[in-house]
């Protein structure tokens, strides 16, 4: 299914599916990556998203019908996305689960929460059928996630866990959004995870926090020499649970501008992933160890 | 010598023509919300079109000039005062070293633009001096002005004061507007009644209106029944998070249309039913809380015609001030 709509006179919006799934996400990434390579005059912004994408263009330089024809030809070439290999990277993101800062924030928004007497992590564990937060953390950190979209605010990744649907973790969002979320909070809402790049509003349950900056408008941290945004659509994330002592050590490294995220280049093939998700994921994670 | 901020106003930021090309990582175009008025202010003082101006929302700042300059104020009807004495809007005037520019109360519109010969010379970030406050990016330290700030001014090529925008090329700011929109995106989620209500209702701008988005109230839109798609969320107005066009109108819960503007959040999980045509985004920026709006449906062809007419008006402005 492909559904196309203009967004005013200067955007075109294309949706591949109504439901979240990796195949639709991959088609969106493949089409937008190909479009970017063609460097078409008049194209302003190319935004891949979870199951859709959007192109902002200057209609004075690029006629809408010419852009549509271009997109149709790219979509036909991409097909169902299984033949497209994505050159990307895998990144290890350390998390302190159940940290004191997001717990304190949650306690300030009791009325917005389904179970004000549990922490967000305890609530997320319970609604996913785990007896303990440890079981939930093992599932959360056990398989990698793909940045299916970057946005909302600067550099914020939407993360989709690379496991079959029956193993997807799902947690309802807050009953009403918070006006405050600590920077670098690890959130989860619906089937999506996220890392809050900046402090601000948010509606996802708060599971923990990472010491690693993912957005640096000052570009003074080593990971940000080339770009003030760390994440790009298609990056793969492996979470590494850490304790408070490690969190404090890493935070000291961040403050000294010495911290770098552990990462490795990988190529991701949707076809090979779908054939054996767990085996394929093991291979991806091994790339982090240089194997 | 620069400009000292004695009082910042309510939400005064440095803006320019914007920062296109980074929306894919969540960095919106930013820039003056009313680009027409912002351009007029720059042309009046002889600046390049991409020079940075101040965008003043609802209330003006109080600024002391460290050196002589030519100044112009355009956009909302926010009357400029120099040393307490009225100065004309849409007209450039001279400011002496040590003089204080302030503003009377807002009479109509929402956003006034202040250009200074030489432009506000804050560092460009990703090719623009525009402030994107959510991302602490651009402008003066990535934020709105506060008292005590010092704004650097660039070298003035400049034009002599006394230049004026012809009456026919000045924007006016009625309390009720018709804003043209193209339906689409997820409008199939509305019932026929919901579509009619959207088009026929008189929408009142709430006080929740800023550079990210303008929230309106006035009616409740009805959505079609459905089984929620995996990952979308249970409310009928939820979708799997999608990109948000600049100017798109989302309707969380069916009760509060939000028009996203140039500091837009780049995507999210609320159904969008229409998008404001590019030619009418300046008008959206000049709506003030309690002003009313009707959203009038147009197709792509009239939308593009309106875009060409706006381009011709910009061209007329350039010729008038050449």
């Amino acid at each position: 299914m492909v559904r196309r709509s203009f967004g005013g006179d200067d955007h075109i919006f294309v949706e591949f599916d109504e439901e979240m799934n990796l195949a639709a996400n991959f088609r969106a990434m493949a089409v937008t990556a190909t479009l970017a390579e063609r460097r078409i005059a008049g194209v302003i912004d190319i935004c891949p998203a979870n199951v859709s994408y959007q192109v902002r263009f200057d209609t004075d330089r690029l006629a809408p019908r010419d852009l549509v024809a271009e997109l149709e030809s790219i979509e036909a070439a991409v097909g169902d996305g299984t033949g497209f290999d994505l050159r990307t990277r895998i990144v290890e993101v350390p998390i302190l689960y159940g940290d004191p800062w997001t717990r304190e924030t949650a306690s300030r928004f009791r009325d917005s929460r389904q179970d004000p007497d549990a922490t967000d992590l305890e609530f997320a564990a319970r609604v996913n059928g785990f007896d303990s937060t440890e079981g939930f953390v093992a599932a959360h950190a056990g398989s990698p996630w793909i940045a299916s979209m970057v946005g909302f605010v600067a550099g914020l990744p939407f993360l989709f866990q690379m496991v079959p649907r029956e193993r997807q973790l799902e947690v309802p969002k807050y009953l009403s959004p918070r006006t405050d979320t600590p920077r670098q909070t690890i959130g989860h809402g619906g089937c999506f995870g996220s890392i809050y790049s900046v402090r601000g509003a948010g509606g996802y349950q708060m599971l923990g926090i990472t010491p690693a900056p993912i957005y640096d408008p000052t570009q003074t941290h080593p990971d940000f020499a080339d770009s003030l945004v760390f994440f790009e659509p298609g990056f793969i994330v492996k979470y590494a649970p850490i304790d408070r002592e490690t969190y404090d050590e890493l935070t000291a490294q961040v403050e000294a501008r010495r911290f770098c995220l552990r990462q490795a280049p990988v190529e991701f093939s949707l076809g090979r992933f779908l054939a054996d998700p767990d085996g394929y994921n093991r291979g991806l994670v091994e790339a982090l160890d240089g194997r | 010598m620069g400009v000292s901020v004695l009082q910042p106003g309510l939400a005064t930021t440095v803006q320019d023509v914007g920062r296109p090309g980074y929306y894919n990582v969540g960095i919106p175009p930013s820039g003056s919300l009313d680009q027409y008025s912002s351009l007029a202010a720059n042309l009046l003082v002889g600046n390049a079109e991409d020079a940075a101006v101040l965008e003043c929302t609802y209330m003006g700042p109080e600024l002391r000039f460290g050196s002589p300059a030519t100044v112009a104020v355009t956009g909302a009807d926010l009357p400029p005062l120099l040393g307490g004495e009225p100065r004309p809007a849409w007209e450039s005037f001279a400011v002496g070293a040590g003089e204080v520019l302030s503003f009377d109360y807002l009479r109509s519109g929402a956003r006034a633009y202040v250009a200074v010969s030489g432009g506000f010379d804050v560092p460009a970030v990703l090719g623009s001096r525009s402030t994107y406050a959510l991302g602490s990016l651009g402008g003066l330290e990535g934020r709105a002005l506060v008292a005590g700030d010092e704004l650097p001014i660039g070298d003035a090529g400049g034009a002599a004061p006394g230049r004026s925008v012809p009456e026919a090329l000045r924007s006016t700011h009625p309390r009720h507007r018709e804003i043209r929109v193209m339906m689409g995106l997820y409008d199939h989620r509305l019932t026929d009644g919901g579509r009619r209500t959207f088009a026929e209702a008189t929408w009142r701008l709430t006080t929740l209106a800023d550079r990210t988005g303008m929230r309106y109230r006035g009616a409740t839109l009805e959505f079609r029944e459905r089984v929620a798609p995996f990952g979308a969320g249970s409310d009928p107005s939820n979708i799997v998070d999608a990109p948000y066009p600049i100017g798109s109108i989302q309707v969380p819960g069916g009760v509060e249309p939000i028009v996203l503007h140039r500091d837009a959040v780049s995507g999210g999980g609320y159904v969008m039913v229409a998008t404001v045509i590019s030619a009418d985004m300046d008008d959206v920026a000049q709506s003030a809380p309690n002003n009313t709006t009707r959203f009038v449906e147009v197709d792509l062809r009239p939308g593009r015609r309106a875009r060409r007419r706006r381009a011709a008006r910009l061209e007329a402005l350039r010729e008038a001030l050449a």
Side-chain angles (χ1 to χ4, degrees):
Chain A
M1 182 210 82
V2 180
R3 196 171 65 77
R4 222 178 284 286
S5 168
F6 285 105
D9 53 304
D10 52 1
H11 300 77
I12 186 157
F13 168 83
V14 179
E15 186 190 58
F16 291 118
D17 204 333
E18 286 195 306
E19 296 190 345
M20 181 57 200
N21 65 89
L22 263 184
N25 180 245
F26 222 64
R27 286 171 78 186
M29 280 200 268
V31 170
T32 50
T34 311
L35 178 66
E37 278 166 15
R38 294 196 183 178
R39 296 180 179 279
I40 294 163
V43 168
I44 300 171
D45 280 300
I46 304 171
C47 302
N50 294 313
V51 289
S52 57
Y53 72 90
Q54 162 186 302
V55 180
R56 185 175 187 220
F57 64 107
D58 178 349
T59 85
D60 300 327
R61 297 172 64 200
L62 177 57
R65 86 166 77 81
D66 293 344
L67 177 58
V68 170
E70 192 75 37
L71 297 177
E72 281 172 349
S73 90
I74 296 172
E75 284 162 12
V78 163
D80 67 359
T82 47
F84 181 85
D85 286 350
L86 182 71
R87 277 188 299 277
T88 183
R89 58 178 92 163
I90 185 164
V91 185
E92 184 180 82
V93 176
I95 315 186
L96 178 59
Y97 286 94
D99 67 286
W101 304 283
T102 60
R103 283 168 76 155
E104 186 278 325
T105 304
S107 70
R108 283 189 276 129
F109 294 95
R110 284 182 69 86
D111 295 347
S112 307
R113 295 163 62 216
Q114 286 84 354
D115 182 353
D117 296 323
T119 66
D120 287 4
L121 184 60
E122 286 163 355
F123 174 69
R126 196 175 68 228
V127 299
N128 282 282
F130 291 97
D131 297 336
S132 67
T133 56
E134 285 78 12
F136 178 85
V137 167
H140 191 264
S143 297
W145 302 63
I146 189 161
S148 51
M149 171 172 172
V150 175
F152 179 57
V153 294
L156 181 149
F158 288 73
L159 295 159
F160 184 66
Q161 197 164 25
M162 296 159 60
V163 292
R165 184 175 291 184
E166 61 275 13
R167 279 161 51 197
Q168 291 279 331
L169 301 170
E170 283 190 87
V171 191
K173 295 174 190 171
Y174 269 38
L175 299 171
S176 64
R178 294 178 302 274
T179 51
D180 192 20
T181 310
R183 192 164 54 109
Q184 290 153 218
T185 289
I186 307 299
H188 199 99
C191 67
F192 291 105
S194 74
I195 307 175
Y196 285 81
S197 52
V198 297
R199 183 177 176 182
Y204 282 15
Q205 305 285 337
M206 298 180 289
L207 307 179
I209 200 160
T210 175
I214 59 163
Y215 172 68
D216 175 17
T218 66
Q219 289 190 269
T220 51
H221 293 277
D223 277 337
F224 298 85
D226 298 330
S227 170
L228 38 81
V229 165
F230 182 82
F231 274 97
E232 288 172 22
F235 277 20
I236 294 166
V237 167
K238 176 72 172 64
Y239 289 124
I242 55 171
D243 59 16
R244 177 61 192 266
E245 197 182 333
T246 310
Y247 177 89
D248 289 342
E249 266 169 43
L250 296 181
T251 298
Q253 287 180 26
V254 169
E255 280 165 7
R257 301 294 191 271
R258 282 190 288 108
F259 177 82
C260 290
L261 281 160
R262 234 158 66 87
Q263 52 180 306
V266 290
E267 218 167 78
F268 181 77
S269 149
L270 180 65
R272 281 185 285 145
F273 166 78
L274 291 175
D276 174 19
D278 289 325
Y280 193 74
N281 284 344
R282 274 194 298 278
L284 287 174
V285 172
E286 281 169 4
L288 273 174
D289 303 319
R291 277 183 275 172
Chain B
M1 293 278 271
V3 166
S4 309
V5 179
L6 306 180
Q7 295 293 332
L10 212 52
T12 305
T13 53
V14 176
Q15 299 295 343
D16 62 13
V17 292
R19 182 181 289 117
Y22 302 94
Y23 206 38
N24 63 324
V25 288
I27 298 176
S30 301
S32 301
L33 296 194
D34 176 355
Q35 284 284 320
Y36 180 85
S37 297
S38 174
L39 174 70
N42 267 329
L43 294 176
L44 279 167
V45 301
N47 281 349
E49 293 192 5
D50 63 353
V53 301
L54 292 183
E55 178 177 276
C56 314
T57 306
Y58 308 146
M59 199 177 138
E62 207 175 299
L63 307 170
R64 188 173 54 224
F65 283 71
S67 52
T70 304
V71 170
V73 178
T74 62
D77 190 0
L78 185 71
L81 304 169
L82 190 63
E85 295 297 316
R87 285 291 180 275
W90 299 93
E91 212 173 303
S92 61
F93 54 89
V95 175
E99 287 197 291
V100 173
L101 176 69
S102 62
F103 295 84
D104 208 338
Y105 291 110
L106 179 73
R107 291 185 185 148
S108 66
R111 292 175 171 81
Y113 294 87
V114 181
V116 172
S117 49
F120 293 97
D121 193 20
V122 297
V125 181
L126 302 178
S128 165
R129 295 182 170 83
S130 289
T131 310
Y132 166 48
L134 258 175
S136 307
L137 196 70
L140 190 73
E141 296 172 13
R143 56 167 173 76
L145 301 187
V146 297
D149 280 344
E150 295 289 329
L151 287 163
I153 301 298
D155 292 332
R163 287 144 64 90
S164 170
V165 173
E167 203 65 42
L169 290 175
R170 298 183 183 192
S171 310
T172 54
H173 306 296
R175 297 181 56 78
H176 176 80
R177 289 169 196 271
E178 299 210 332
I179 297 292
R180 290 166 291 185
V181 303
M182 280 170 59
M183 299 301 289
L185 304 171
Y186 288 87
D187 66 333
H188 56 283
R189 297 277 311 109
L190 290 172
T191 62
D192 292 344
R195 269 183 94 96
R196 252 194 324 275
T197 305
F198 179 70
E200 289 170 2
T202 298
W203 298 100
R204 189 173 295 278
L205 187 64
T206 69
T207 52
L208 297 172
D210 60 21
R211 291 183 46 82
T212 300
M214 318 271 174
R215 293 182 188 226
Y216 298 80
R217 286 258 176 182
T220 301
L221 304 186
E222 197 185 31
F223 291 101
R224 290 180 195 279
E225 297 286 327
R226 62 142 191 211
V227 177
F230 176 74
S234 55
D235 191 90
S237 66
N238 287 156
I239 54 171
V240 170
D241 297 62
Y244 287 158
I246 307 295
S248 61
I249 306 178
Q250 54 180 272
V251 199
V255 294
E256 204 169 54
I258 304 175
V259 178
L260 292 180
H261 219 299
R262 296 177 66 103
D263 275 4
V265 288
S266 68
Y270 289 109
V271 83
M272 304 157 274
V273 299
T275 308
V276 175
I277 63 169
S278 60
D280 284 358
M281 289 299 284
D282 294 340
D283 279 353
V284 169
Q286 292 297 359
S287 290
N290 280 318
N291 285 184
T292 53
T293 291
R294 267 198 60 227
F295 295 119
V296 179
E297 181 178 352
V298 296
D299 292 329
L300 179 59
R301 198 169 294 186
R304 292 185 76 200
R305 265 204 305 277
R307 183 187 176 92
R308 283 193 291 273
R309 270 199 300 277
R310 177 177 180 276
R313 192 171 151 86
L314 289 170
E315 211 38 54
L317 189 62
R318 291 186 183 102
E319 275 167 31
L321 297 173

